[in-house]
Amino acid sequence: SQSAFILTSNRNLTFTQAAGGGTITGGNSGIRATGNGPGSIQITASGAVTGNTSAGIFVVNNSVASTSVTVTATDGTGHVHGINANNSGTGAITINASGNILATRIPVNATTNSSGVSANQVNGTDINITVNNVTAGSWGISANNQSLAKGGNTTINATGAIFGGTGSPVGDSGAIGVDHNNSGALTVNL
């Protein structure tokens, strides 16, 4: 099954859903965005986004010549991730979600985990996550910042309830899991 929107660019990639937009639903992901060259990725969804077998919103910047990833959303639901942002570029990952984020998969072994919001920084700087309510089978929020050479900061702000390890989790799970492998600051505000 396909994603509702499959977006690929070798330069800047911008997707904007107008204010008051309706629900976006895909068999795989609701929105799947891939950057393969220099530039940034910016995804803005005003309506709820659902991916039935993968992520509500899945974003990956593959190129080390790329820059930042920004996701602005309200509600996001996926099987594995509500929102999943991955950056190999030199800039920051910024995720803002004002509504409810949900990952529905319940782990049955250590390789079938899920997270409501997942951010993976390989070569860039900061991870900035601001959310309201997040629920997932393994990790509510998972942040992996490996920008050792850049000294990036990892900042998580949560205004609502964050739940991880729902159902019958296997292996590591919890509300927030962070691997912050650099000299920048790690800040969590709940």
Side-chain angles (χ1 to χ4, degrees), residues 130-145:
T130 301
V131 294
N132 186 26
N133 299 314
V134 182
T135 303
S138 298
W139 294 103
I141 299 171
S142 174
N144 179 25
N145 193 339

Side-chain angles (χ1 to χ4, degrees), residues 116-138:
V117 175
S118 176
N120 300 288
Q121 183 74 277
V122 177
N123 190 49
T125 55
D126 302 337
I127 293 177
N128 301 301
I129 298 172
T130 301
V131 294
N132 186 26
N133 299 314
V134 182
T135 303
S138 298

Side-chain angles (χ1 to χ4, degrees), residues 141-178:
I141 299 171
S142 174
N144 179 25
N145 193 339
Q146 302 298 317
S147 59
L148 183 60
K150 305 289 175 44
N153 301 316
T154 299
T155 304
I156 297 171
N157 297 300
T159 58
I162 311 298
F163 292 104
T166 60
S168 301
V170 176
D172 292 338
S173 63
I176 298 174
V178 179

Side-chain angles (χ1 to χ4, degrees), residues 4-61:
F5 290 93
I6 301 174
L7 313 168
T8 303
S9 178
N10 293 324
R11 297 290 179 183
N12 292 325
L13 191 162
T14 301
F15 174 92
T16 302
Q17 183 185 24
T23 300
I24 296 172
T25 301
N28 189 299
S29 295
I31 300 171
R32 183 179 185 90
T34 304
N36 293 317
S40 64
I41 298 177
Q42 297 184 45
I43 304 297
T44 302
S46 62
V49 182
T50 298
N52 291 329
T53 61
S54 181
I57 299 174
F58 176 85
V59 181
V60 57
N61 232 352

